mmCIF file of all heavy atoms in Angstrom:
data_model
loop_
_atom_site.group_PDB
_atom_site.id
_atom_site.type_symbol
_atom_site.label_atom_id
_atom_site.label_comp_id
_atom_site.label_asym_id
_atom_site.label_seq_id
_atom_site.Cartn_x
_atom_site.Cartn_y
_atom_site.Cartn_z
ATOM 1 N N VAL A 1 -5.372 2.986 -12.765
ATOM 2 C CA VAL A 1 -6.101 2.360 -11.710
ATOM 3 C C VAL A 1 -5.014 1.655 -10.757
ATOM 4 O O VAL A 1 -4.247 0.781 -11.208
ATOM 5 C CB VAL A 1 -7.072 1.251 -12.360
ATOM 6 C CG1 VAL A 1 -7.677 0.400 -11.229
ATOM 7 C CG2 VAL A 1 -8.096 1.987 -13.167
ATOM 8 N N ARG A 2 -5.079 2.064 -9.523
ATOM 9 C CA ARG A 2 -4.059 1.520 -8.534
ATOM 10 C C ARG A 2 -4.731 0.685 -7.541
ATOM 11 O O ARG A 2 -5.747 1.169 -6.864
ATOM 12 C CB ARG A 2 -3.289 2.699 -7.954
ATOM 13 C CG ARG A 2 -2.352 3.475 -8.817
ATOM 14 C CD ARG A 2 -2.886 4.839 -8.951
ATOM 15 N NE ARG A 2 -3.025 5.511 -7.666
ATOM 16 C CZ ARG A 2 -1.967 6.053 -7.048
ATOM 17 N NH1 ARG A 2 -0.760 6.112 -7.507
ATOM 18 N NH2 ARG A 2 -2.175 6.632 -5.843
ATOM 19 N N PHE A 3 -4.204 -0.456 -7.256
ATOM 20 C CA PHE A 3 -4.788 -1.387 -6.217
ATOM 21 C C PHE A 3 -3.835 -1.170 -4.916
ATOM 22 O O PHE A 3 -2.607 -1.426 -4.969
ATOM 23 C CB PHE A 3 -4.786 -2.848 -6.697
ATOM 24 C CG PHE A 3 -5.709 -2.971 -7.842
ATOM 25 C CD1 PHE A 3 -5.339 -3.025 -9.108
ATOM 26 C CD2 PHE A 3 -7.112 -3.202 -7.576
ATOM 27 C CE1 PHE A 3 -6.230 -3.211 -10.184
ATOM 28 C CE2 PHE A 3 -8.084 -3.275 -8.549
ATOM 29 C CZ PHE A 3 -7.590 -3.321 -9.937
ATOM 30 N N ILE A 4 -4.516 -0.757 -3.885
ATOM 31 C CA ILE A 4 -3.800 -0.406 -2.663
ATOM 32 C C ILE A 4 -4.138 -1.498 -1.605
ATOM 33 O O ILE A 4 -5.288 -1.764 -1.267
ATOM 34 C CB ILE A 4 -4.188 0.972 -2.062
ATOM 35 C CG1 ILE A 4 -3.830 2.037 -3.163
ATOM 36 C CG2 ILE A 4 -3.458 1.251 -0.814
ATOM 37 C CD1 ILE A 4 -4.313 3.453 -2.879
ATOM 38 N N GLU A 5 -3.131 -2.134 -1.087
ATOM 39 C CA GLU A 5 -3.358 -3.158 -0.053
ATOM 40 C C GLU A 5 -3.859 -2.501 1.169
ATOM 41 O O GLU A 5 -3.363 -1.398 1.724
ATOM 42 C CB GLU A 5 -2.045 -3.923 0.271
ATOM 43 C CG GLU A 5 -1.587 -4.904 -0.829
ATOM 44 C CD GLU A 5 -0.315 -5.618 -0.503
ATOM 45 O OE1 GLU A 5 0.378 -5.252 0.382
ATOM 46 O OE2 GLU A 5 -0.070 -6.733 -1.171
ATOM 47 N N LEU A 6 -4.965 -3.037 1.724
ATOM 48 C CA LEU A 6 -5.574 -2.524 3.009
ATOM 49 C C LEU A 6 -4.585 -2.666 4.177
ATOM 50 O O LEU A 6 -4.019 -3.793 4.408
ATOM 51 C CB LEU A 6 -6.736 -3.283 3.287
ATOM 52 C CG LEU A 6 -7.597 -2.824 4.613
ATOM 53 C CD1 LEU A 6 -8.079 -1.474 4.381
ATOM 54 C CD2 LEU A 6 -8.805 -3.807 4.848
ATOM 55 N N MET A 7 -4.221 -1.489 4.761
ATOM 56 C CA MET A 7 -3.326 -1.568 5.887
ATOM 57 C C MET A 7 -3.986 -1.750 7.264
ATOM 58 O O MET A 7 -5.073 -1.279 7.430
ATOM 59 C CB MET A 7 -2.471 -0.277 5.854
ATOM 60 C CG MET A 7 -1.534 -0.167 4.688
ATOM 61 S SD MET A 7 -0.620 1.390 4.653
ATOM 62 C CE MET A 7 -1.819 2.589 4.015
ATOM 63 N N PRO A 8 -3.276 -2.344 8.200
ATOM 64 C CA PRO A 8 -3.863 -2.641 9.521
ATOM 65 C C PRO A 8 -3.818 -1.439 10.426
ATOM 66 O O PRO A 8 -3.169 -1.425 11.511
ATOM 67 C CB PRO A 8 -3.026 -3.752 10.067
ATOM 68 C CG PRO A 8 -1.692 -3.575 9.432
ATOM 69 C CD PRO A 8 -1.957 -2.982 8.023
ATOM 70 N N ILE A 9 -4.427 -0.363 9.880
ATOM 71 C CA ILE A 9 -4.507 0.820 10.774
ATOM 72 C C ILE A 9 -5.915 1.170 11.007
ATOM 73 O O ILE A 9 -6.767 1.138 10.075
ATOM 74 C CB ILE A 9 -3.831 2.056 10.002
ATOM 75 C CG1 ILE A 9 -2.376 1.824 9.709
ATOM 76 C CG2 ILE A 9 -4.069 3.367 10.718
ATOM 77 C CD1 ILE A 9 -1.711 2.890 8.903
ATOM 78 N N GLY A 10 -6.317 1.528 12.257
ATOM 79 C CA GLY A 10 -7.641 1.888 12.699
ATOM 80 C C GLY A 10 -8.564 0.765 12.302
ATOM 81 O O GLY A 10 -8.351 -0.417 12.666
ATOM 82 N N TYR A 11 -9.656 1.089 11.659
ATOM 83 C CA TYR A 11 -10.694 0.068 11.406
ATOM 84 C C TYR A 11 -10.284 -0.989 10.262
ATOM 85 O O TYR A 11 -10.762 -1.965 10.144
ATOM 86 C CB TYR A 11 -12.045 0.732 10.902
ATOM 87 C CG TYR A 11 -12.618 1.663 11.915
ATOM 88 C CD1 TYR A 11 -12.484 3.072 11.825
ATOM 89 C CD2 TYR A 11 -13.282 1.129 13.027
ATOM 90 C CE1 TYR A 11 -12.975 3.895 12.777
ATOM 91 C CE2 TYR A 11 -13.815 1.984 13.998
ATOM 92 C CZ TYR A 11 -13.669 3.398 13.887
ATOM 93 O OH TYR A 11 -14.188 4.139 14.840
ATOM 94 N N GLY A 12 -9.150 -0.604 9.573
ATOM 95 C CA GLY A 12 -8.662 -1.513 8.695
ATOM 96 C C GLY A 12 -8.193 -2.796 9.226
ATOM 97 O O GLY A 12 -8.037 -3.840 8.524
ATOM 98 N N ARG A 13 -7.882 -2.894 10.501
ATOM 99 C CA ARG A 13 -7.448 -4.141 11.251
ATOM 100 C C ARG A 13 -8.579 -5.147 11.173
ATOM 101 O O ARG A 13 -8.351 -6.333 11.397
ATOM 102 C CB ARG A 13 -7.036 -3.826 12.593
ATOM 103 C CG ARG A 13 -5.767 -3.003 12.811
ATOM 104 C CD ARG A 13 -5.636 -2.572 14.282
ATOM 105 N NE ARG A 13 -4.326 -1.910 14.484
ATOM 106 C CZ ARG A 13 -3.211 -2.485 14.956
ATOM 107 N NH1 ARG A 13 -3.231 -3.703 15.251
ATOM 108 N NH2 ARG A 13 -2.184 -1.729 15.178
ATOM 109 N N GLU A 14 -9.831 -4.756 11.013
ATOM 110 C CA GLU A 14 -10.937 -5.588 11.175
ATOM 111 C C GLU A 14 -11.380 -6.374 9.852
ATOM 112 O O GLU A 14 -12.238 -7.197 9.879
ATOM 113 C CB GLU A 14 -12.125 -4.812 11.619
ATOM 114 C CG GLU A 14 -11.931 -4.104 12.928
ATOM 115 C CD GLU A 14 -13.103 -3.211 13.313
ATOM 116 O OE1 GLU A 14 -14.137 -3.294 12.742
ATOM 117 O OE2 GLU A 14 -12.875 -2.345 14.243
ATOM 118 N N PHE A 15 -10.669 -6.081 8.794
ATOM 119 C CA PHE A 15 -11.111 -6.680 7.449
ATOM 120 C C PHE A 15 -9.922 -7.363 6.801
ATOM 121 O O PHE A 15 -8.809 -7.083 7.078
ATOM 122 C CB PHE A 15 -11.591 -5.591 6.543
ATOM 123 C CG PHE A 15 -12.762 -4.736 7.167
ATOM 124 C CD1 PHE A 15 -12.534 -3.496 7.731
ATOM 125 C CD2 PHE A 15 -13.985 -5.333 7.134
ATOM 126 C CE1 PHE A 15 -13.517 -2.861 8.350
ATOM 127 C CE2 PHE A 15 -15.103 -4.606 7.699
ATOM 128 C CZ PHE A 15 -14.921 -3.389 8.289
ATOM 129 N N GLU A 16 -10.216 -8.328 6.010
ATOM 130 C CA GLU A 16 -9.324 -9.160 5.330
ATOM 131 C C GLU A 16 -8.827 -8.592 3.940
ATOM 132 O O GLU A 16 -9.725 -8.513 3.095
ATOM 133 C CB GLU A 16 -9.734 -10.605 5.231
ATOM 134 C CG GLU A 16 -8.585 -11.594 4.690
ATOM 135 C CD GLU A 16 -9.132 -12.999 4.727
ATOM 136 O OE1 GLU A 16 -10.261 -13.293 5.043
ATOM 137 O OE2 GLU A 16 -8.363 -13.868 4.263
ATOM 138 N N ALA A 17 -7.653 -8.253 3.830
ATOM 139 C CA ALA A 17 -7.206 -7.636 2.576
ATOM 140 C C ALA A 17 -6.928 -8.679 1.501
ATOM 141 O O ALA A 17 -6.775 -9.832 1.758
ATOM 142 C CB ALA A 17 -5.910 -6.833 2.867
ATOM 143 N N VAL A 18 -6.878 -8.126 0.270
ATOM 144 C CA VAL A 18 -6.375 -8.934 -0.896
ATOM 145 C C VAL A 18 -5.005 -8.352 -1.191
ATOM 146 O O VAL A 18 -4.883 -7.171 -1.382
ATOM 147 C CB VAL A 18 -7.375 -8.706 -2.099
ATOM 148 C CG1 VAL A 18 -6.787 -9.411 -3.309
ATOM 149 C CG2 VAL A 18 -8.732 -9.282 -1.812
ATOM 150 N N TYR A 19 -4.120 -9.319 -1.283
ATOM 151 C CA TYR A 19 -2.659 -8.793 -1.383
ATOM 152 C C TYR A 19 -2.306 -8.759 -2.888
ATOM 153 O O TYR A 19 -2.746 -9.531 -3.757
ATOM 154 C CB TYR A 19 -1.697 -9.742 -0.645
ATOM 155 C CG TYR A 19 -2.034 -9.649 0.832
ATOM 156 C CD1 TYR A 19 -2.285 -10.787 1.632
ATOM 157 C CD2 TYR A 19 -2.013 -8.407 1.477
ATOM 158 C CE1 TYR A 19 -2.524 -10.625 2.985
ATOM 159 C CE2 TYR A 19 -2.251 -8.274 2.834
ATOM 160 C CZ TYR A 19 -2.551 -9.421 3.572
ATOM 161 O OH TYR A 19 -2.780 -9.293 4.909
ATOM 162 N N ASN A 20 -1.433 -7.792 -3.230
ATOM 163 C CA ASN A 20 -1.223 -7.522 -4.650
ATOM 164 C C ASN A 20 -0.369 -8.561 -5.398
ATOM 165 O O ASN A 20 -0.488 -8.742 -6.608
ATOM 166 C CB ASN A 20 -0.438 -6.176 -4.775
ATOM 167 C CG ASN A 20 -1.417 -4.953 -4.630
ATOM 168 O OD1 ASN A 20 -2.678 -5.128 -4.814
ATOM 169 N ND2 ASN A 20 -0.936 -3.765 -4.274
ATOM 170 N N GLU A 21 0.379 -9.370 -4.654
ATOM 171 C CA GLU A 21 1.150 -10.418 -5.344
ATOM 172 C C GLU A 21 0.173 -11.408 -5.928
ATOM 173 O O GLU A 21 0.393 -11.994 -7.005
ATOM 174 C CB GLU A 21 2.218 -11.074 -4.367
ATOM 175 C CG GLU A 21 1.549 -11.600 -3.067
ATOM 176 C CD GLU A 21 2.627 -12.094 -2.117
ATOM 177 O OE1 GLU A 21 3.823 -11.897 -2.436
ATOM 178 O OE2 GLU A 21 2.252 -12.649 -1.086
ATOM 179 N N GLU A 22 -0.846 -11.752 -5.162
ATOM 180 C CA GLU A 22 -1.941 -12.682 -5.607
ATOM 181 C C GLU A 22 -2.700 -11.998 -6.836
ATOM 182 O O GLU A 22 -2.921 -12.647 -7.742
ATOM 183 C CB GLU A 22 -2.866 -12.887 -4.447
ATOM 184 C CG GLU A 22 -4.151 -13.718 -4.782
ATOM 185 C CD GLU A 22 -5.141 -13.649 -3.701
ATOM 186 O OE1 GLU A 22 -4.817 -13.444 -2.567
ATOM 187 O OE2 GLU A 22 -6.280 -13.904 -4.027
ATOM 188 N N LEU A 23 -3.056 -10.796 -6.703
ATOM 189 C CA LEU A 23 -3.702 -10.037 -7.739
ATOM 190 C C LEU A 23 -2.890 -9.977 -9.048
ATOM 191 O O LEU A 23 -3.426 -10.192 -10.102
ATOM 192 C CB LEU A 23 -4.137 -8.659 -7.321
ATOM 193 C CG LEU A 23 -4.923 -7.812 -8.228
ATOM 194 C CD1 LEU A 23 -6.235 -8.525 -8.626
ATOM 195 C CD2 LEU A 23 -5.311 -6.440 -7.566
ATOM 196 N N LEU A 24 -1.607 -9.678 -8.900
ATOM 197 C CA LEU A 24 -0.789 -9.617 -10.074
ATOM 198 C C LEU A 24 -0.663 -10.973 -10.758
ATOM 199 O O LEU A 24 -0.698 -10.986 -12.047
ATOM 200 C CB LEU A 24 0.627 -9.085 -9.748
ATOM 201 C CG LEU A 24 1.597 -8.986 -10.897
ATOM 202 C CD1 LEU A 24 1.142 -8.030 -11.936
ATOM 203 C CD2 LEU A 24 3.024 -8.451 -10.341
ATOM 204 N N GLU A 25 -0.584 -12.088 -10.105
ATOM 205 C CA GLU A 25 -0.603 -13.353 -10.618
ATOM 206 C C GLU A 25 -1.883 -13.622 -11.446
ATOM 207 O O GLU A 25 -1.815 -14.190 -12.570
ATOM 208 C CB GLU A 25 -0.443 -14.500 -9.518
ATOM 209 C CG GLU A 25 1.013 -14.539 -8.956
ATOM 210 C CD GLU A 25 1.074 -15.642 -7.863
ATOM 211 O OE1 GLU A 25 0.007 -16.392 -7.762
ATOM 212 O OE2 GLU A 25 2.090 -15.770 -7.208
ATOM 213 N N LYS A 26 -2.969 -13.230 -10.881
ATOM 214 C CA LYS A 26 -4.254 -13.343 -11.632
ATOM 215 C C LYS A 26 -4.350 -12.483 -12.861
ATOM 216 O O LYS A 26 -4.728 -12.988 -14.022
ATOM 217 C CB LYS A 26 -5.440 -13.057 -10.765
ATOM 218 C CG LYS A 26 -5.635 -14.106 -9.647
ATOM 219 C CD LYS A 26 -6.929 -13.565 -8.784
ATOM 220 C CE LYS A 26 -7.086 -14.556 -7.572
ATOM 221 N NZ LYS A 26 -8.277 -14.221 -6.743
ATOM 222 N N LEU A 27 -3.786 -11.366 -12.780
ATOM 223 C CA LEU A 27 -3.881 -10.404 -13.947
ATOM 224 C C LEU A 27 -2.865 -10.969 -15.001
ATOM 225 O O LEU A 27 -3.226 -10.914 -16.205
ATOM 226 C CB LEU A 27 -3.327 -9.088 -13.474
ATOM 227 C CG LEU A 27 -3.285 -7.920 -14.525
ATOM 228 C CD1 LEU A 27 -4.524 -7.745 -15.280
ATOM 229 C CD2 LEU A 27 -2.672 -6.636 -13.903
ATOM 230 N N GLN A 28 -1.774 -11.412 -14.650
ATOM 231 C CA GLN A 28 -0.796 -11.982 -15.707
ATOM 232 C C GLN A 28 -1.332 -13.244 -16.295
ATOM 233 O O GLN A 28 -1.085 -13.457 -17.529
ATOM 234 C CB GLN A 28 0.554 -12.275 -15.003
ATOM 235 C CG GLN A 28 1.375 -10.937 -14.695
ATOM 236 C CD GLN A 28 2.623 -11.211 -13.798
ATOM 237 O OE1 GLN A 28 2.641 -12.168 -12.991
ATOM 238 N NE2 GLN A 28 3.620 -10.398 -14.029
ATOM 239 N N ALA A 29 -2.033 -14.062 -15.563
ATOM 240 C CA ALA A 29 -2.664 -15.276 -16.168
ATOM 241 C C ALA A 29 -3.730 -14.840 -17.202
ATOM 242 O O ALA A 29 -3.913 -15.423 -18.199
ATOM 243 C CB ALA A 29 -3.252 -16.103 -14.999
ATOM 244 N N LEU A 30 -4.562 -13.812 -16.759
ATOM 245 C CA LEU A 30 -5.610 -13.334 -17.680
ATOM 246 C C LEU A 30 -5.032 -12.641 -18.894
ATOM 247 O O LEU A 30 -5.549 -12.698 -20.060
ATOM 248 C CB LEU A 30 -6.560 -12.453 -16.843
ATOM 249 C CG LEU A 30 -7.719 -11.823 -17.644
ATOM 250 C CD1 LEU A 30 -8.730 -12.947 -18.039
ATOM 251 C CD2 LEU A 30 -8.385 -10.738 -16.878
ATOM 252 N N CYS A 31 -3.978 -11.827 -18.674
ATOM 253 C CA CYS A 31 -3.328 -11.030 -19.722
ATOM 254 C C CYS A 31 -1.867 -11.285 -19.868
ATOM 255 O O CYS A 31 -1.068 -10.463 -19.266
ATOM 256 C CB CYS A 31 -3.604 -9.526 -19.383
ATOM 257 S SG CYS A 31 -5.274 -9.058 -19.055
ATOM 258 N N PRO A 32 -1.500 -12.337 -20.519
ATOM 259 C CA PRO A 32 -0.076 -12.720 -20.572
ATOM 260 C C PRO A 32 0.777 -11.674 -21.345
ATOM 261 O O PRO A 32 2.003 -11.733 -21.253
ATOM 262 C CB PRO A 32 -0.078 -14.046 -21.291
ATOM 263 C CG PRO A 32 -1.466 -14.171 -22.000
ATOM 264 C CD PRO A 32 -2.364 -13.323 -21.133
ATOM 265 N N ASP A 33 0.142 -10.785 -22.121
ATOM 266 C CA ASP A 33 0.835 -9.726 -22.783
ATOM 267 C C ASP A 33 1.010 -8.479 -21.944
ATOM 268 O O ASP A 33 1.353 -7.353 -22.486
ATOM 269 C CB ASP A 33 0.132 -9.458 -24.125
ATOM 270 C CG ASP A 33 -1.266 -9.120 -24.011
ATOM 271 O OD1 ASP A 33 -1.805 -9.247 -22.800
ATOM 272 O OD2 ASP A 33 -1.921 -8.668 -25.038
ATOM 273 N N LEU A 34 0.748 -8.540 -20.650
ATOM 274 C CA LEU A 34 0.882 -7.416 -19.744
ATOM 275 C C LEU A 34 2.365 -6.915 -19.794
ATOM 276 O O LEU A 34 3.270 -7.818 -19.745
ATOM 277 C CB LEU A 34 0.517 -7.786 -18.364
ATOM 278 C CG LEU A 34 0.382 -6.726 -17.285
ATOM 279 C CD1 LEU A 34 -0.805 -5.858 -17.568
ATOM 280 C CD2 LEU A 34 0.321 -7.319 -15.940
ATOM 281 N N GLU A 35 2.580 -5.618 -19.830
ATOM 282 C CA GLU A 35 3.840 -5.101 -19.996
ATOM 283 C C GLU A 35 4.200 -4.205 -18.763
ATOM 284 O O GLU A 35 3.407 -3.416 -18.337
ATOM 285 C CB GLU A 35 4.014 -4.216 -21.265
ATOM 286 C CG GLU A 35 3.681 -4.926 -22.600
ATOM 287 C CD GLU A 35 3.457 -3.924 -23.671
ATOM 288 O OE1 GLU A 35 3.381 -2.703 -23.465
ATOM 289 O OE2 GLU A 35 3.444 -4.409 -24.878
ATOM 290 N N PRO A 36 5.459 -4.320 -18.202
ATOM 291 C CA PRO A 36 5.849 -3.322 -17.229
ATOM 292 C C PRO A 36 5.879 -1.909 -17.787
ATOM 293 O O PRO A 36 6.207 -1.707 -18.942
ATOM 294 C CB PRO A 36 7.279 -3.764 -16.886
ATOM 295 C CG PRO A 36 7.358 -5.122 -17.338
ATOM 296 C CD PRO A 36 6.472 -5.203 -18.532
ATOM 297 N N ASP A 37 5.403 -0.927 -16.976
ATOM 298 C CA ASP A 37 5.429 0.405 -17.315
ATOM 299 C C ASP A 37 6.335 1.196 -16.384
ATOM 300 O O ASP A 37 5.924 1.514 -15.207
ATOM 301 C CB ASP A 37 3.947 0.938 -17.273
ATOM 302 C CG ASP A 37 3.807 2.447 -17.709
ATOM 303 O OD1 ASP A 37 4.829 3.040 -18.006
ATOM 304 O OD2 ASP A 37 2.718 2.997 -17.778
ATOM 305 N N GLU A 38 7.443 1.598 -16.797
ATOM 306 C CA GLU A 38 8.506 2.172 -15.959
ATOM 307 C C GLU A 38 8.494 3.716 -16.065
ATOM 308 O O GLU A 38 9.374 4.379 -15.457
ATOM 309 C CB GLU A 38 9.803 1.642 -16.368
ATOM 310 C CG GLU A 38 9.977 0.178 -16.058
ATOM 311 C CD GLU A 38 11.337 -0.386 -16.400
ATOM 312 O OE1 GLU A 38 12.193 0.414 -16.856
ATOM 313 O OE2 GLU A 38 11.536 -1.604 -16.193
ATOM 314 N N ARG A 39 7.455 4.332 -16.658
ATOM 315 C CA ARG A 39 7.369 5.781 -16.706
ATOM 316 C C ARG A 39 7.025 6.304 -15.301
ATOM 317 O O ARG A 39 6.403 5.551 -14.519
ATOM 318 C CB ARG A 39 6.287 6.195 -17.699
ATOM 319 C CG ARG A 39 6.615 5.871 -19.162
ATOM 320 C CD ARG A 39 5.372 6.140 -20.012
ATOM 321 N NE ARG A 39 4.274 5.386 -19.605
ATOM 322 C CZ ARG A 39 2.946 5.596 -19.916
ATOM 323 N NH1 ARG A 39 2.721 6.599 -20.754
ATOM 324 N NH2 ARG A 39 1.969 4.842 -19.515
ATOM 325 N N VAL A 40 7.434 7.508 -15.026
ATOM 326 C CA VAL A 40 7.110 8.215 -13.807
ATOM 327 C C VAL A 40 5.643 8.661 -13.929
ATOM 328 O O VAL A 40 5.205 9.353 -14.722
ATOM 329 C CB VAL A 40 7.964 9.436 -13.478
ATOM 330 C CG1 VAL A 40 7.424 10.203 -12.259
ATOM 331 C CG2 VAL A 40 9.434 8.965 -13.469
ATOM 332 N N HIS A 41 4.818 8.151 -12.840
ATOM 333 C CA HIS A 41 3.337 8.394 -12.829
ATOM 334 C C HIS A 41 2.979 9.376 -11.733
ATOM 335 O O HIS A 41 1.816 9.730 -11.632
ATOM 336 C CB HIS A 41 2.587 7.116 -12.676
ATOM 337 C CG HIS A 41 2.568 6.217 -13.843
ATOM 338 N ND1 HIS A 41 1.370 5.984 -14.668
ATOM 339 C CD2 HIS A 41 3.614 5.496 -14.457
ATOM 340 C CE1 HIS A 41 1.752 5.196 -15.635
ATOM 341 N NE2 HIS A 41 3.047 4.909 -15.576
ATOM 342 N N GLY A 42 3.971 9.838 -10.896
ATOM 343 C CA GLY A 42 3.589 10.704 -9.836
ATOM 344 C C GLY A 42 4.596 10.549 -8.627
ATOM 345 O O GLY A 42 5.808 10.189 -8.927
ATOM 346 N N ASN A 43 4.120 10.778 -7.519
ATOM 347 C CA ASN A 43 5.002 10.865 -6.356
ATOM 348 C C ASN A 43 4.964 9.558 -5.420
ATOM 349 O O ASN A 43 5.691 9.384 -4.540
ATOM 350 C CB ASN A 43 4.660 12.036 -5.380
ATOM 351 C CG ASN A 43 4.714 13.333 -6.187
ATOM 352 O OD1 ASN A 43 5.646 13.588 -6.879
ATOM 353 N ND2 ASN A 43 3.581 14.114 -6.111
ATOM 354 N N GLY A 44 4.027 8.633 -5.798
ATOM 355 C CA GLY A 44 3.790 7.523 -4.922
ATOM 356 C C GLY A 44 4.637 6.326 -5.335
ATOM 357 O O GLY A 44 5.514 6.361 -6.192
ATOM 358 N N PRO A 45 4.443 5.288 -4.488
ATOM 359 C CA PRO A 45 5.309 4.065 -4.536
ATOM 360 C C PRO A 45 4.814 3.019 -5.510
ATOM 361 O O PRO A 45 5.303 1.835 -5.487
ATOM 362 C CB PRO A 45 5.405 3.570 -3.134
ATOM 363 C CG PRO A 45 4.010 3.906 -2.630
ATOM 364 C CD PRO A 45 3.590 5.241 -3.301
#
């Protein structure tokens, strides 16, 4: 499950995004045992 920040392209300029640094903080607070996963999952960033 990948969370993609809404980019200001086309109609995306009209909506307020949720940024991943904020989301990651919430996730780490909820799940303190969260582990980095450094395996290759595909071609994306």
